[in-house]
Amino acid sequence: MRHIAGMTEDARPVLSADPAAMTARAREVIRLNIEALQALEAGLDDSLARACEIILSRPGYLVVTGMGKSGHIGGKIAATLASTGTNSFFVHPAEMSHGDLGMLRKDVTLLAISNSGESRELRDPLIFCQREGIPVIGLTQRPNSFLGRSSAVCLTMPQVAEACPNGLAPTTSTLMTLALGDALAMVLMDRRGFTAEAFGLHHPGGKLGMSLQSVRDWMGDRPPAPATVPLTATFAEVVSAITEGRKGAAAVLNADETLAGIVTDGDVRRAFSRGDLGGLTAAAVMSPRPKVIGPDARMSDAIDLMTQNKIATLLVVEDDRPMAIVHIAELMQAGYVS
């Protein structure tokens, strides 16, 4: 039965079930993708730089749109842009024709994605942008298409074969689109001087986000005060402070309340092993040079410090005064370490 003129259902042989044949086909697809990316890199010109300057000069959002597979890739590009310092969001082009054109304020920039450049759903947004003076950055394989002609800057991808045997399913084209979107996002990120700390503010969730948080963020605005004792505290007072503090340690303070040292559960156990505890004071059992960290350091630095030094407790110190105690058990419970 004919579905497409000149093509029958058995026009193309079915791939063999032989594992070697399937592996060879998979390698062919990957090779085609690699060649597409190489062609994209070789053909890159200053259009990406011009696109970046337009985006950086505009006060509003970068709105990303695209239909079908281009839309799926566009959503990812918008998310990458938003997490790396460029305010961005994705809008479905068909929804724009039904009221969401109101999201295109005069101060925004539109990044429109279409491999052919002729997606009919893009026409209304493109015409609207022309009328309102909103600059369009087009991403397409065909610069002479409606999208290309409507763009202030056209990011043109090379015309390479799709990995799909019928030349229909987007494969190499979507990979090039994703790569070009990532390139745009990274150049913008570098131009803005976007830091890892700023990334952490946009990405507080997950293990990555938690590691980028500062120690101050982890403590919150009202961290529990650390257990403290003076240098002259008795051994019994030290044990009591550690027990009440529930962090496995107590900070030892000088007379002016600056940090003198730390007494941990381990220090207490070692003191017990020496016998006579009657005359022991905090000064006698403390570690005088404890590992400390500032509140504005990253949590990843705190974790590294604890791991490298094989310690379970870490003092957070500001202006030589203890603010809090970090315990490894808390970090494990919160998912900072596994």
Side-chain angles (χ1 to χ4, degrees):
M1 178 178 177
R2 293 179 181 271
H3 294 286
I4 302 176
M7 183 180 293
T8 61
E9 287 183 343
D10 58 351
R12 179 176 171 79
V14 175
L15 180 65
S16 167
D18 177 20
M22 290 188 282
T23 301
R25 173 57 177 148
R27 284 177 174 157
E28 179 188 23
V29 172
I30 293 171
R31 185 173 63 253
L32 288 170
N33 280 324
I34 291 172
E35 291 171 355
L37 290 177
Q38 289 172 335
L40 177 66
E41 180 191 15
L44 198 62
D45 57 22
D46 67 355
S47 59
L48 187 137
R50 289 187 284 117
C52 287
E53 292 308 320
I54 289 175
I55 295 167
L56 291 168
S57 70
R58 304 280 292 173
Y61 282 83
L62 176 61
V63 180
V64 183
T65 192
M67 191 67 194
K69 303 299 187 295
S70 293
H72 295 312
I73 298 297
K76 189 274 179 188
I77 292 172
T80 299
L81 287 161
S83 67
T84 54
T86 298
N87 294 329
S88 180
F89 60 89
F90 178 84
V91 183
H92 195 286
E95 297 294 340
M96 289 194 196
S97 298
H98 293 272
D100 285 357
L101 282 173
M103 296 181 180
L104 300 183
R105 304 184 313 185
K106 288 184 180 292
D107 61 351
V108 308
T109 306
L110 182 68
L111 174 61
I113 305 169
S114 171
N115 189 43
S116 69
E118 299 291 351
S119 297
R120 64 181 181 273
E121 292 86 358
L122 285 178
R123 287 185 169 263
D124 288 341
L126 293 176
I127 292 170
F128 179 84
C129 287
Q130 289 175 350
R131 186 170 66 241
E132 296 298 316
I134 297 171
V136 174
I137 297 169
L139 205 165
T140 180
Q141 278 190 337
R142 295 175 172 82
N144 295 323
S145 62
F146 186 75
L147 172 57
R149 297 193 307 273
S150 302
S151 299
V153 175
C154 185
L155 302 177
T156 304
M157 298 180 295
Q159 294 192 30
V160 298
E162 298 284 8
C164 169
N166 298 318
L168 300 174
T171 48
T172 54
S173 60
T174 49
L175 180 64
M176 289 190 298
T177 303
L178 180 60
L180 198 49
D182 282 344
L184 179 69
M186 295 301 100
V187 173
L188 286 167
M189 181 179 179
D190 290 346
R191 286 279 281 109
R192 295 181 190 279
F194 195 76
T195 64
E197 286 75 18
F199 184 89
L201 290 175
H202 293 188
H203 195 298
K207 195 168 184 178
L208 171 63
M210 289 190 290
S211 69
L212 290 171
Q213 285 183 331
S214 71
V215 176
R216 195 185 301 275
D217 291 334
W218 172 80
M219 293 190 303
D221 59 349
R222 292 184 179 180
T228 60
V229 292
L231 283 166
T232 56
T234 66
F235 184 77
E237 290 171 334
V238 170
V239 173
S240 177
I242 293 175
T243 302
E244 292 177 6
R246 299 183 179 182
K247 291 292 183 76
V252 182
L253 304 183
N254 294 306
D256 60 359
E257 298 191 342
T258 58
L259 181 67
I262 189 172
V263 180
T264 67
D265 284 337
D267 295 321
V268 170
R269 287 193 298 271
R270 284 186 286 274
F272 271 115
S273 69
R274 295 201 298 265
D276 185 16
L277 305 176
L280 285 182
T281 63
V285 297
M286 74 177 186
S287 299
R289 290 179 294 277
K291 299 297 180 183
V292 301
I293 197 163
D296 295 319
R298 295 181 193 170
M299 282 303 295
S300 58
D301 295 331
I303 294 166
D304 289 343
L305 192 60
M306 297 174 77
T307 303
Q308 292 166 6
N309 291 279
K310 298 180 180 179
I311 55 177
T313 53
L314 181 64
L315 282 170
V316 182
V317 174
E318 188 172 41
D319 297 328
D320 207 25
R321 298 173 188 274
M323 297 176 62
I325 296 177
V326 180
H327 195 282
I328 194 70
E330 296 175 289
L331 302 181
M332 294 176 67
Q333 185 176 13
Y336 283 86
V337 294
S338 56

